[in-house]
Amino acid sequence: METVAAMLNCEFTDHPVYDGLELQWFDDEAHGTGMLAFLSRRADRRVDYYFDPALRLDRSRYHLGGGTGAWQATAFDVAQLRVAPDGVLARASLTDVDGRQIEVHVDDRDGKPRRRAGLLAPVSAAIAEPESLLLVWMPAFDLVHRTRTAPVLRIDGEQAAIGRLPGAGLHRRLLIKYAAPLLVTTLGRAHEGALQDLPVVNAGADGTAVLTSRAAGHAAHLVLDPAMPDLTAIAPGTREQGRWHVRVDDVRLTGGSWSLRRDDGEVTGDLDVTERWRPGKLPLLMRLVTTVMPVFRRWPTSYRWRGVVTSGTIPMLHSVWERTGTGGVETYVRRTGGG
């Protein structure tokens, strides 16, 4: 589990090069303080990353869209992202790898406290070849309000058009999303090689086991019901199975089933994601959006994990994540005009 102090993103509807932009702000001991900006390319959905040289980021943890393009330390001309009780202020100015100037200025603060809600970000719905199950929980999410100050989103001097939500004249919101903080949980990273440092997890009195990761006062829990047995304790030709789910703080995000089968010198493992995200109490607009656009609830169930452990002096693991569908992302693109 990792945390990001704040985030703002949007999709572009008709820009010839880019189809999306995201700004992230870090401010913690693990990462340092500064901005990360990424731009998604329309042609191949690869993502270019630009980060403050003062930040300490693990490139292997960034695998979005169609994969990683540029990964570049960048001296931002302007870098600011602050979420206040009455809105958000985001300012960024940088030059991309092709020499284009990227300018962002979003400020919807109006002195009126905002009502925000929790949202599971559907960012993983757009990952073509996943290396993990990436769960990004936003406990305080909102959309930018339409005010007298129009957002500036310029690429090479030209204002870029953004996606839109139906009924904008009524709700007066822009399809520019922001949140603070982001709680990022990575489950079951794909692996090829020696199986080392396997955590020892003891079952509780009820037979379940819980693995926990903590960051910045928050916690992610993987709950196994029942606890998985030691691989060597599985009788040849038999299958062990159960249920699992992931909880961040006290919010259940998704879950499914697990199974293990031993045949000769191999143990085959399956982890299927079968639980859709079920939102809690949401403001009316967000409730409508997450209902009519199924990607928000459905995308986790388009993931599954497969692994094989081969016994030996040093056990070897080969594991992969697979997509079983798109999770409803096409409906989102069609209804917002994005992508």
Side-chain angles (χ1 to χ4, degrees):
M1 185 185 191
E2 295 182 294
T3 61
V4 180
M7 173 282 298
L8 178 140
N9 75 22
C10 64
E11 294 97 21
F12 302 130
T13 58
D14 57 6
H15 192 269
V17 178
Y18 295 120
D19 61 10
L21 161 77
E22 179 159 321
L23 305 178
Q24 293 185 353
W25 186 261
F26 292 88
D27 187 15
D28 59 70
E29 292 184 2
H31 302 101
T33 300
M35 178 171 284
L36 165 68
F38 41 96
L39 290 151
S40 173
R41 292 182 177 266
R42 185 176 300 278
D44 56 10
R45 298 176 55 235
R46 294 176 72 83
V47 180
D48 295 338
Y49 298 87
Y50 304 89
F51 56 92
D52 188 308
L55 289 177
R56 297 177 293 276
L57 302 177
D58 182 354
R59 178 174 178 169
S60 68
R61 292 188 176 274
Y62 293 87
H63 183 77
L64 303 175
T68 300
W71 179 265
Q72 182 168 302
T74 299
F76 289 82
D77 299 320
V78 179
Q80 185 178 15
L81 179 53
R82 183 168 67 89
V83 176
D86 64 338
V88 62
L89 171 63
R91 300 172 64 227
S93 179
L94 67 143
T95 303
D96 74 6
V97 291
D98 300 314
R100 303 180 191 87
Q101 188 71 16
I102 311 296
E103 300 172 79
V104 178
H105 187 183
V106 178
D107 186 356
D108 75 339
R109 297 170 298 168
D110 59 5
K112 300 176 183 177
R114 302 294 167 78
R115 181 189 173 196
R116 296 174 178 135
L119 187 77
L120 179 62
V123 58
S124 296
I127 299 176
E129 298 179 357
E131 296 183 351
S132 66
L133 178 61
L134 182 67
L135 300 167
V136 181
W137 174 241
M138 302 180 290
F141 169 88
D142 204 355
L143 296 168
V144 168
H145 286 226
R146 189 185 300 275
T147 65
R148 295 180 179 179
T149 305
V152 173
L153 298 160
R154 293 196 191 105
I155 302 174
D156 212 16
E158 297 290 332
Q159 178 74 8
I162 61 172
R164 62 193 181 277
L165 287 173
L170 296 175
H171 55 69
R172 298 189 60 77
R173 303 292 184 91
L174 300 172
L175 195 54
I176 303 175
K177 297 147 281 183
Y178 69 93
L182 267 64
L183 309 180
V184 183
T185 301
T186 303
L187 174 63
R189 303 186 79 182
H191 184 80
E192 182 73 52
L195 181 61
Q196 298 174 335
D197 301 323
L198 189 67
V200 177
V201 183
N202 296 317
D206 60 355
T208 66
V210 182
L211 289 85
T212 298
S213 179
R214 302 181 188 276
H218 299 275
H221 310 279
L222 171 63
V223 181
L224 302 166
D225 182 16
M228 287 184 178
D230 186 303
L231 299 185
T232 60
I234 302 173
T238 62
R239 180 183 298 274
E240 302 285 344
Q241 57 190 359
R243 303 288 301 174
W244 66 273
H245 69 266
V246 171
R247 207 172 63 242
V248 172
D249 294 338
D250 60 350
V251 180
R252 183 164 173 154
L253 300 184
T254 188
S257 62
W258 65 262
S259 68
L260 296 169
R261 180 179 175 85
R262 185 177 189 87
D263 292 292
D264 297 324
E266 291 186 343
V267 175
T268 302
D270 298 328
L271 196 77
D272 291 297
V273 189
T274 61
E275 291 185 16
R276 299 182 180 187
W277 173 59
R278 299 182 182 277
K281 189 175 182 179
L282 296 175
L284 178 60
L285 176 61
M286 289 176 60
R287 187 163 70 248
L288 290 173
V289 169
T290 58
T291 299
V292 302
M293 297 183 186
V295 64
F296 288 94
R297 301 172 187 246
R298 188 185 298 168
W299 75 260
T301 61
S302 67
Y303 276 71
R304 67 183 179 191
W305 179 92
R306 298 291 183 262
V308 177
V309 176
T310 304
S311 60
T313 305
I314 299 178
M316 305 296 288
L317 169 65
H318 167 74
S319 68
V320 297
W321 282 93
E322 302 169 345
R323 295 295 303 275
T324 60
T326 62
V329 70
E330 302 94 338
T331 302
Y332 176 86
V333 172
R334 185 173 65 252
R335 293 183 176 175
T336 63

